[in-house]
Amino acid sequence: MTVRDIMKYIESEYKVINHTPCEMCGGDFLTEEIQVAVIDNIPYDICSCICSNCGHERVFEFGAPFIEDKVSKKLRKNLN
């Protein structure tokens, strides 16, 4: 995956967050923290968000195949 592909992928995550209304009040979510986690050997972008209107917190999980590519390339490089 190229850097451009990765940026498009991340941009699509923000589109999902920006187009998801708060379950409590219908407000907009703001991203507070982004983490990368590996769950069952699958990398994820974990986005902790908060509603700008009522403060309701929500966590969005997105698959992160670009992390897998980067990690596997690094592992292959280290093995050679």
Side-chain angles (χ1 to χ4, degrees), residues 68-80:
E68 188 172 81
D69 284 350
K70 189 173 183 177
V71 170
S72 63
K73 284 179 184 178
K74 188 173 185 176
L75 286 173
R76 282 193 299 260
K77 183 180 177 184
N78 289 338
L79 290 174
N80 292 329

Side-chain angles (χ1 to χ4, degrees), residues 50-61:
I50 189 165
C51 176
S52 62
N53 190 40
C54 72
H56 175 68
E57 295 179 2
R58 178 168 176 179
V59 175
F60 291 83
E61 296 178 10

Side-chain angles (χ1 to χ4, degrees), residues 28-55:
D28 297 324
F29 283 106
L30 301 173
T31 303
E32 285 196 313
E33 182 179 13
I34 300 173
Q35 298 178 350
V36 175
V38 178
I39 303 168
D40 295 328
N41 293 323
I42 300 171
Y44 289 91
D45 276 341
I46 310 294
C47 301
S48 299
C49 300
I50 189 165
C51 176
S52 62
N53 190 40
C54 72

